[in-house]
Amino acid sequence: MLVPIRSANPPSGQAPTAYSEPPVPPARESEPRVLKPRRAAPADAVRPTRAEVNLQALRHNLGVVKRHAGSAHVWAVLKADGYGHGAPAVARTLERAGADGFCVALLEEAIELRDAGILLPIMVMGGYYGGAHAELVHRGLVPVVYDLAQIEGFARLVRSGAASGPIDVHVKIDTGMARLGVTLETLAPFAAALARFPEVRVRGLMTHLACADALEPAETTEQMVRFDEATALLARHGVRPTVRHAANSAALLRGQALLDAARPGVALFGVAPRSVGGATRGTPLGVGLRPVMSVRSEVIDIRDVAQGAPVGYGALWRAPRPSRIATIPMGYADGLSRQLSNRGHVLIRGKRAPIVGAVSMDMSMLDVTDLPGVSVRDEAVVLGSQEGPLGKDCVSADEIADHAGTIPWEVLTSISRRVPRFYREP
Ligand SMILES: *Cc1c(COP(=O)(O)O)cnc(C)c1O
């Protein structure tokens, strides 16, 4: 059996030795242990491939988002490690810059933020607590709930004296996403049953929008009508949440569904959701957002190949002319999608070089035949902008998403933990 050296969950009784961290008190039988993932610290980084996170741009984007939000609170969504930017550093910056709270998908993500010293309210949207209700309450986190078993779990804590009540929760309503949330059909019995759990208080009511970035606002309008119906139904049962929230980045930038709070994610990282499905695809919804992450590597090798020579796995590209090929140490295991094989571009010396052949796990090849003067150690920009002797250009998350057949959200969250993050305060 293979034993991972850097296991985050060492065999019981044995202290972790491969990395240093404060000793973890032994978990009691009844307490589920929350595993703490970690990435290579920048100090460990030898490879030239790295992600730079511009905290000044992040603060700027928070300002743009806050202006759009008006009087609504801004709860920054930092799931998936802050959309790949490193949630603790992003949260620290946004906390100081005036965000009103944070939202994450997982309890583990919330705990990582509390461990990093974040004091603002943190909402756990995914709704799975796996029996760790006590940990959630003791960490001062705000749970999203959508079924009675979850509510019962929190009520039991108060009844047993393990927590003092009432415990505040936000109830999620499914208004047309068919993902999570109480449906309108089942809301009446749900609301009636809430009376059995006075230990739990419904402070917030939320829903999630499926089509906020659509060309036509009709779907969103319809979802919001259902959300109002749900609100009224709950009120008839004496349940009156003080905070209602629905808007994601797209809705917020459009000024739609701005209730008491908004939950923007991707806009904070400088991506303006584009309207989809129509002639104006590509029209950004928000102006003035600045990209926060850039991903840079270096040319590590250059070779000249003859006309007709194959490049990369499967010989997916053959040189149509005598060509100069540069290799960069970034591949699909770093988050450079294999869909970019023979499609994407990387910037060198301020100019675009096409990715040629298959993107492999750790490396990719570029055709630099038309870029005079490229040499080993030249910077290669995979995501972001570059200025050099040959010009000035930018590869955006939108562009990469188009080439890879996906959305910018996936481009950002795909940059893997093997790529160390460096934080810049220009
Ligand atoms: C991810 C998420 C958001 C943020 O969406 P963006 O489009 O990135 O702004 C808001 N609410 C919920 C429930 C989410 O899952």
Side-chain angles (χ1 to χ4, degrees):
M1 201 181 86
L2 291 177
V3 181
I5 297 172
R6 279 190 172 225
S7 169
N9 191 12
S12 55
Q14 219 175 294
T17 50
Y19 56 88
S20 59
E21 62 169 37
V24 181
R28 271 180 278 133
E29 275 302 305
S30 57
E31 273 181 16
R33 185 110 80 83
V34 177
L35 305 182
K36 298 186 187 74
R38 55 197 63 239
R39 74 171 86 253
D44 295 344
V46 173
R47 66 183 321 207
T49 302
R50 58 197 56 204
E52 281 179 18
V53 176
N54 184 328
L55 298 174
Q56 179 58 40
L58 180 68
R59 274 193 292 271
H60 167 86
N61 295 339
L62 178 67
V64 172
V65 160
K66 283 181 84 151
R67 277 197 295 284
H68 278 83
S71 60
H73 280 183
V74 170
W75 294 343
V77 179
L78 300 186
K79 56 194 179 187
D81 199 22
Y83 288 51
H85 294 65
V90 166
R92 262 183 232 117
T93 302
L94 293 177
E95 185 169 72
R96 287 190 205 123
D100 300 298
F102 297 116
C103 304
V104 292
L106 311 178
L107 176 58
E108 294 88 323
E109 294 173 331
I111 288 172
E112 185 184 19
L113 293 183
R114 280 283 182 260
D115 282 347
I118 296 301
L119 299 172
L120 278 178
I122 303 174
M123 189 161 74
V124 184
M125 300 191 297
Y128 180 77
Y129 310 117
H133 298 71
E135 171 124 28
L136 188 139
V137 171
H138 293 148
R139 297 291 196 135
L141 306 171
V142 182
V144 169
V145 298
Y146 50 86
D147 73 28
L148 288 172
Q150 295 166 316
I151 292 184
E152 202 177 342
F154 290 113
R156 221 183 292 126
L157 282 183
V158 179
R159 285 176 197 169
S160 70
S164 54
I167 293 172
D168 287 340
V169 300
H170 288 219
V171 167
K172 184 159 192 180
I173 307 292
D174 176 10
T175 58
M177 177 91 175
R179 194 172 71 174
L180 277 191
V182 188
T183 61
L184 261 69
E185 292 70 38
T186 57
L187 186 58
F190 179 89
L194 282 176
R196 300 207 315 264
F197 304 105
E199 301 86 357
V200 176
R201 185 168 59 186
V202 179
R203 273 298 297 273
L205 196 64
M206 72 180 284
T207 192
H208 193 40
L209 302 171
C211 304
D213 53 0
L215 211 51
E216 289 295 323
E219 288 287 345
T220 300
T221 307
E222 213 169 288
Q223 282 196 266
M224 294 314 288
V225 167
R226 279 186 223 122
F227 196 46
D228 285 342
E229 281 170 30
T231 309
L233 192 154
L234 284 169
R236 287 198 293 278
H237 285 85
V239 180
R240 292 188 179 78
T242 50
V243 203
R244 296 200 311 148
H245 46 105
N248 54 7
S249 295
L252 176 129
L253 294 173
R254 286 189 150 173
Q256 258 191 316
L258 287 174
L259 303 168
D260 304 303
R263 308 185 307 266
V266 82
L268 292 166
F269 302 104
V271 173
R274 295 175 296 175
S275 28
V276 289
T280 62
R281 171 168 165 74
T283 311
L285 293 172
V287 286
L289 297 171
R290 295 184 192 154
V292 174
M293 192 198 290
S294 63
V295 178
R296 289 151 205 285
S297 189
E298 258 179 36
V299 174
I300 57 166
D301 197 66
I302 295 179
R303 69 201 53 235
D304 291 315
V305 299
Q307 184 173 358
V311 168
Y313 283 119
L316 293 187
W317 190 82
R318 280 178 192 276
R321 55 179 173 169
S323 301
R324 176 158 287 190
I325 303 298
T327 302
I328 59 169
M330 179 166 186
Y332 59 78
D334 300 302
L336 183 64
S337 170
R338 200 168 168 282
Q339 298 295 322
L340 297 174
S341 302
N342 281 337
R343 303 184 85 142
H345 290 94
V346 170
L347 305 177
I348 301 182
R349 290 169 69 77
K351 199 168 171 214
R352 278 161 190 271
I355 296 175
V356 291
V359 169
S360 46
M361 187 185 288
D362 318 301
M363 284 177 257
S364 307
M365 281 73 84
L366 314 170
D367 178 6
V368 296
T369 314
D370 295 328
L371 277 63
V374 173
S375 55
V376 167
R377 301 227 50 196
D378 275 356
E379 180 191 69
V381 173
V382 172
L383 168 68
S385 54
Q386 190 193 48
E387 200 172 346
L390 301 179
K392 186 180 173 187
D393 211 332
C394 175
V395 175
S396 67
D398 270 316
E399 179 190 327
I400 295 174
D402 282 347
H403 279 132
T406 183
I407 53 175
W409 288 257
E410 189 178 354
V411 171
L412 295 177
T413 55
S414 294
I415 303 301
S416 75
R417 56 180 289 170
R418 198 166 83 160
V419 178
R421 270 67 169 171
F422 289 83
Y423 296 93
R424 268 167 64 105
E425 293 268 9

